[in-house]
């Protein structure tokens, strides 16, 4: 039971954290102003309420995230790694390379000190 509560709590935190991040990004780039400019250029006026552009953008953003991270999995024909798996592989490679470099430099320093 405690696992489920933790899982639900983490899911809620991630959901609202992600939503806040997207909203903060949109605020930084001035998405409302951008949409108003597009409306005024195309139609000559700015709508008083949410228009089709905002709805399409919201649906497209959600669909893009779902497709990009392969969350739908309707057909699993190919076994390509997800972007997250690729980044984790790169991270693990960097850690391994760094550890090897540190070991080599430490061995080189210990050999150099003994010859003085």
């Amino acid at each position: 039971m405690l696992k489920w509560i933790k899982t639900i709590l983490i899911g809620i935190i991630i959901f609202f954290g992600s939503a806040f991040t997207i909203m903060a990004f949109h605020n930084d780039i001035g998405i409302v102003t951008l949409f108003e400019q597009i409306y005024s250029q195309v139609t000559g006026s700015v709508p008083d309420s949410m228009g089709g552009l905002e709805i399409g953008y919201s649906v497209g953003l959600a669909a893009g995230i779902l497709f990009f991270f392969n969350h739908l999995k309707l057909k699993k024909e190919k076994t390509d790694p997800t972007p997250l798996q690729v980044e984790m592989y790169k991270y693990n490679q960097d850690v391994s390379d760094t550890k090897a470099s540190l070991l080599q430099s430490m061995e080189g320093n210990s050999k150099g000190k003994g010859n003085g």
Side-chain angles (χ1 to χ4, degrees):
M1 180 66 174
L2 187 60
K3 284 184 180 181
W4 284 104
I5 293 172
K6 287 180 182 178
T7 303
I8 291 170
L9 183 63
I10 289 172
I12 290 170
I13 290 169
I14 290 173
F15 175 79
F16 285 107
S18 300
F20 179 76
T21 302
I22 291 170
M23 289 186 293
F25 170 74
H26 289 157
N27 190 39
D28 286 346
I29 63 169
I31 197 82
V32 174
T33 307
L34 174 66
F35 285 157
E36 287 174 358
Q37 288 175 349
I38 292 172
Y39 277 121
S40 67
Q41 287 177 354
V42 173
T43 64
S45 64
V46 178
D48 295 334
S49 61
M50 186 180 349
L53 191 59
E54 289 90 348
I55 294 170
Y57 179 76
S58 300
V59 170
L61 180 66
I65 291 170
L66 291 174
F67 283 117
F68 183 77
F69 289 106
N70 199 17
H71 288 302
L72 299 179
K73 296 182 184 174
L74 299 175
K75 290 184 190 176
K76 191 66 173 174
E77 294 177 0
K78 49 186 173 175
T79 58
D80 290 341
T82 64
L84 182 60
Q85 290 170 330
V86 171
E87 289 302 318
M88 287 302 297
Y89 176 78
K90 288 180 185 178
Y91 170 77
N92 288 332
Q93 284 297 118
D94 289 345
V95 169
S96 297
D97 293 345
T98 303
K99 284 181 181 179
S101 296
L102 287 173
L103 285 175
Q104 285 178 350
S105 67
M106 288 171 57
E107 288 173 0
N109 287 342
S110 64
K111 289 179 184 177
K113 288 180 182 178
N115 294 337

